[in-house]
Structure formats: C-alpha cells, structure tokens
C-alpha cells in the first residue's frame, strides 16, 4: 500500500474520532489535508491539478543547496489507534451531552455526563467545563474591562480540572484527548514545562490531533526547547516542525519542510498558505500575492490567512484589490476577526485611521488574543499621534506573543516619538534580536543612536552596516554611512560609501538631493586627491543641476584647470552633506 493511501486511511479515521469528541478545529484541519492528498490522475482533469509538483508558476524554486536540506520522509511508527468504545453503557447520555455541546450549552453537557466514567464521557465533560469557564471569562472581561480591554480575569474551572486530570494521569486512566486537555489547562495556569511534557505524551499516543500540536508549538519559544522534545517520527511531526520553524523565524527551514510535504499533499490549500506566510516574512510580496490569488480562485469563501494577504496589498498600496478583498470577506463572514482586520487595513490605506481603529477593536471583541489586530491598532494610534494608546496596544501584543518583533519595533517607534531614546533603543534591540535579517529594524536602531541624547556614532555606523548586509531595500543605509564617516572626518571611508550609493542610485534610476550631495562630495574628494579626471566627471554631471551646486562645480572646474596649467590653485569651500 502506498504512503498516500496510508495517509488517507489514517486521516479518515482521525476525522471521525476528532469530530466525535467535538474537536472540530482539528477535524477540519485533518479533512483539508485529506482532500489535499494528490488524487488518482485518471479521475482528474488537468485544470484540477494546480498543486502537482512542477506545474505551478507560483511555487518557490529552491536552489541546489536548499534542496539538499529537505528532510527525509518521516516514518510512521504509530499505527492508527482504535479508541476504546467504552461508552456503550452510557452511549445515550453521551449523545445527549454532545447535542448540548454542539448547541454551546456547555454546562448542560457536563451535567448530563456527571455520573459517566467512560473515557469519552470524561473527556467531553471536562472539555465542556473548560469551555464554559472560557465563555464566562470572556463575559467578565467585557463587563470588567479597563483601558483597551485590560483585565485579569481567569478561567474559574482550571483548578478543579487540573486536580481531576492530574489524578487520572497518575492512575493511567487518561486517554490522549484527556492529555491534550490537561496540557491546555497547565498552559493556561502557567506550568509550561509540565504542559509540554503532557502534550508530547498526547501527540505521541495520538498524532492526528492538530490542536494538540498547535498548543505544543505555542510552548516552544526557542529552537533549544524544540530540539529537546521527545517526539515519535510520525509524518504529522513534519507538519509540526514546519509550523514551529516558521514561528521561530527559521523561514528557509520551514519552506524546505513544506516543500517536502507538498510532494504528498499536492492539493493542500493549507500548505500553500503556509508557504505564502513564510515568503511574506522574507518580504517576497510578488510571490505571496500570486499564491493568495490562486487560493481565492480555488476557495473563494476562504477567510483564514486572508488578513496576511491584505497586509501585502496594503504594503503595495493596491487600493482596488484591497477594497475588493474587504468586500468579499465582509459578505462571506463579517463577524470573523480576519474580516474585521482586512476592513481595518482598507480604511488605514485610505487614511481614515479612526475608522480603522473601530474595526481592529471589533476584531479584538471577537478574539482577545488576535495578535495582528493589537499590532495594527498600535500602528494606527501612532499615525493618530496617540502614543499612550499605541504603547498599550503594543504591550498587549507582546504579552500574547513575546516573539512578535513588529510589536517590539512599534514600542520603539512610540517611545522615539515621545523623545525617550533610551527606552526606544531598548525595544529596537529586542526587535532586532528576534528578526536579525530585517534592514528596517537596524536602520531604526541606528537613527536612535544618532539622536542628540545618545550621539553614539560608532554604534550607529555598525547598525547601518548590518542594514546594508540585510539588503536595505529603502536605500537609506549606504547614504547614512557616508554622511557619518564624513562627520568623523574619515574621507576615504565616506568616499567609498558615497560611491556605492551612487552606483545604486544609477542602477535604480533615482534622482534627488542625495544624488547632488553624493556628486558634490566625490568631486571635492577626488580634487583633493589630485585625481582631476575623476573629479571633472562628477563636476560635469553637477552642471546639469540648477542651484548653488552648479556654481560650486564651476568653481571646482576652474580651480582644477588652473592647477593643471601650473597656475595658483583656488580654494573652494568644502560643503558638508
């Protein structure tokens, strides 16, 4: 039997088991991967084979050294478990409780199973109590919320659930689903180490519960923690590692994992969306846009991950495309956090920042832990010059995910606006530590070092050099390096960077004040070096401009010609950049 046929059998069984235990998010994920497995070619027309290997123009083309790092195929050491149907006696009660659960009457569901001892019944009862506690917590947060929704409300069921599930685990009478719930409770209570151990037990015994993998991933905040997990070598582990690498900003490793997985799940929209997410982090916006366009053609009512697509359209200032996307998701489901976030981006691009904040707040009403909404709302408050509110929003974001470099960067910007460079520098350092390949962060930190309060020029130079090494797309770092070296009277270094900046401006066909400043410095520098031919080239180019630089170029040319003819040289004032 082929590996793909094994995947189908395992996923079909998992879908039934997960749905039977009301783990609908994990069941949906498994169903999407089931459909994503490449089907029998005889049953499909070429139009339906968009994700076959090599057939899509939007697929990432790996270089040779990237292909060699693609992981070997995972070996399934775990056979599909047949969960004990120990609820035969109390099956009617279970059906009643499940009906209540599906109607979101969680306490009624738990009460219906109060005397049932089967593993399925125990799990559903505890899970219903957990969700009842979460529902009440959300209600109290709305009732008692402070500024920007700040509240210390906790789930009141956690203590009793931890006590019961801990006892079941010690007695060996807990199943993998109970272990997943126990890990969730421990995570909410802050016992992260034990939560990781319990969740690893859960996924090793039942690897098809994607919700358990997701919770485990959220607890792996460093690569060291990830490598210490004692996980069975099941093919679901590849999905987990690909997602975990992405969260840990190891984007090339993540792309390599998804490249491998796409060979088996060639039709998976999920994998395509994750590839787009990794490429978004690498700022490959053209490829990201193409992937999302393809996803929407094949899944027109998709809302998941579309907020990232809206970020791409926002960055590219595609008004019409963003307007169309906002209208589309609003018609599909306007009460989804992603939909509200997309509409918020649309109003932000139009410059209507107050309306944008309204929709980001609406997204947070629907999901208090929606990271993007907190971060983007902070950006909007910065635009509105409401820095205290911006700081509060960014702090919510870093509380949810301390690895979100955008929120740390936003905090740095906010404190910079308040003329507090020491605080700003602290937060810029945090953002750079988390995202070391983003030139914008290095440039922001360099400018902070340049402020009058700090005036740490050498440190600023080091930051600008790192920005250059990180492919500074805004073309800021080279020019600033030249200016700082000139300020420190290092003419040779300044000339080197001015020349590099000039080459880049010529390659990108850019004009402006920086071009004039560069030409003027190089003309004076080469004149002082007695390299008159090179100096004349730059002076001649300056004659095409109007203003004082044209007269300066003429004076330089006259002085060089007199000096070359043996006459007295003319002193020409050096104009600083």
């Amino acid at each position: 039997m082929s590996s793909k046929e094994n995947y189908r059998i395992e996923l079909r069984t998992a879908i039934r088991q997960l749905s039977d235990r009301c783990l609908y998010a994990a069941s949906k994920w498994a169903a999407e991967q089931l459909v994503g497995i490449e089907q029998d070619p005889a049953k499909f027309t070429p139009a339906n084979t968009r994700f076959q290997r090599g057939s899509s123009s939007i697929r990432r083309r790996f270089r040779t050294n990237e292909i060699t790092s693609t992981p070997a195929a995972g070996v399934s050491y775990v056979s599909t478990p047949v969960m004990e149907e120990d609820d035969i006696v109390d099956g009617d009660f279970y059906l009643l409780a499940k009906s209540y659960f599906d109607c979101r009457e969680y306490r009624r569901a738990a009460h219906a199973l109060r005397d049932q001892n089967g593993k399925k019944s125990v799990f559903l009862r505890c899970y219903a109590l957990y969700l009842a506690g979460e529902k009440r917590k959300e209600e109290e947060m709305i009732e008692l919320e402070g500024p920007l929704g700040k509240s210390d409300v906790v789930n009141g069921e956690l203590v009793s659930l931890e006590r019961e599930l801990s006892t079941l685990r010690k007695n060996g009478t807990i199943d993998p689903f109970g272990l997943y719930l126990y890990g969730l409770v421990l995570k909410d209570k802050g016992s992260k180490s034990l939560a990781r151990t319990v969740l690893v037990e859960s996924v090793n015994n039942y690897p098809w519960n994607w919700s358990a993998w997701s919770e485990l991933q959220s607890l792996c905040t460093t690569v060291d923690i990830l490598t210490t997990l004692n996980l069975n070598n099941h093919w679901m582990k590849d999905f987990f590692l690909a997602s975990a690498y992405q969260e840990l900003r190891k984007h090339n490793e993540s792309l390599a994992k998804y490249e491998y997985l796409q060979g088996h799940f060639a039709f998976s929209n999920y994998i395509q969306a994750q590839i787009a997410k990794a490429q978004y982090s690498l700022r490959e916006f053209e490829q990201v846009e193409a992937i999302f366009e393809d996803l929407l053609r094949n899944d027109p009512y998709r809302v998941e991950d579309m907020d990232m697509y809206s970020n791409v359209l926002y960055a590219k200032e595609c008004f019409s495309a963003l307007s169309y996307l906002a209208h589309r998701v609003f018609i599909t489901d306007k009460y989804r956090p992603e939909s509200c976030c997309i509409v918020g981006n649309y109003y932000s691009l139009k410059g209507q920042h107050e309306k944008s904040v309204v929709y980001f707040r609406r997204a947070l009403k629907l999901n208090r832990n929606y990271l993007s909404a907190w971060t983007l709302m902070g950006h909007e408050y910065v635009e509105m010059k409401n820095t205290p509110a911006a700081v509060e929003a960014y702090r919510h974001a870093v509380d949810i995910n301390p690895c979100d470099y955008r929120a740390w960067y936003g905090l740095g910007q906010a404190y910079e606006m308040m003329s507090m460079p020491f605080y700003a520098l602290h937060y810029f350092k945090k953002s750079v530590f988390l995202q070391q390949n983003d030139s914008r962060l290095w440039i922001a930190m360099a400018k902070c070092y340049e402020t009058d309060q700090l005036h740490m020029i050498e440190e600023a130079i080091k930051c600008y050099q790192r920005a250059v090494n990180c492919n500074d797309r805004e073309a800021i770092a080279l020019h600033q390096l030249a200016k700082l070296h000139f300020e420190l009277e290092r003419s040779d270094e300044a000339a080197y960077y001015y020349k590099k900046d000039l080459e880049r401006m010529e390659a990108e066909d850019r004009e402006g004040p920086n071009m004039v400043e560069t030409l003027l410095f190089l003309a004076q520098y080469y004149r002082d070096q007695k390299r008159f031919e090179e100096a004349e080239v730059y002076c001649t180019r300056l004659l095409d401009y109007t203003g004082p630089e044209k007269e300066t170029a003429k004076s330089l040319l006259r002085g060089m010609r007199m000096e070359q003819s043996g006459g007295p040289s003319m002193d020409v004032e050096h104009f600083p950049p």
Side-chain angles (χ1 to χ4, degrees), residues 39-46 49 52:
Q39 305 292 326
D40 182 358
K43 298 178 182 178
F44 288 84
T45 62
T49 59
Q52 286 184 355

Side-chain angles (χ1 to χ4, degrees), residues 126-268:
C126 292
Y127 190 37
L129 284 173
Y130 174 80
L131 291 181
E134 288 293 298
K135 184 179 178 181
R136 181 56 193 149
K137 182 179 80 171
E138 290 291 325
E139 293 168 352
E140 289 184 9
M141 288 177 73
I142 294 172
E143 294 164 3
L144 306 174
E145 68 180 6
L148 287 178
K150 191 172 183 179
S151 176
D152 298 324
V153 179
V154 297
N155 186 332
E157 303 292 337
L158 294 181
V159 175
S160 60
L161 285 173
E162 182 187 16
R163 188 184 306 117
E164 179 176 357
L165 293 169
S166 175
T167 302
L168 291 174
R169 180 170 176 255
K170 288 176 183 176
N171 296 337
T173 56
I174 193 169
D175 67 358
F177 297 103
L179 286 169
Y180 156 64
L181 182 58
Y182 185 30
L184 197 59
V185 170
L186 289 169
K187 177 193 168 188
D188 287 354
K189 290 198 70 179
S191 304
K192 295 183 179 180
S193 180
L194 182 56
R196 278 193 293 269
T197 302
V198 170
L199 287 169
V200 167
E201 288 181 33
S202 176
V203 297
N204 280 343
N205 285 283
Y206 188 84
W208 298 277
N209 183 3
W210 182 245
S211 295
W213 288 107
S214 298
E215 295 299 333
L216 181 59
Q217 177 192 304
S218 69
L219 294 167
C220 298
T221 53
T222 66
V223 176
D224 291 337
I225 293 175
L226 188 65
T227 55
T228 59
L229 299 178
N230 186 22
L231 296 168
N232 288 344
N233 195 25
H234 188 272
W235 56 267
M236 283 290 290
K237 179 182 174 181
D238 290 323
F239 277 101
F240 166 71
L241 289 176
S243 182
Y245 284 146
Q246 195 153 274
E247 287 300 312
L248 293 171
R249 300 165 306 284
K250 298 175 73 68
H251 303 301
N252 288 324
E253 290 87 342
S254 177
L255 282 168
K257 282 283 186 185
Y258 283 124
E259 170 78 1
Y260 160 67
L261 287 167
Q262 201 172 42
H264 298 280
F265 299 87
F267 288 82
S268 173

Side-chain angles (χ1 to χ4, degrees), residues 10 21 150 253 272 274 279 321 345 530 540 558 569:
E10 292 179 359
R21 285 161 179 80
K150 191 172 183 179
E253 290 87 342
Q272 284 297 104
Q274 297 310 303
Q279 290 178 336
N345 271 340
K530 307 298 183 184
T540 304
R558 285 195 298 270
S569 61

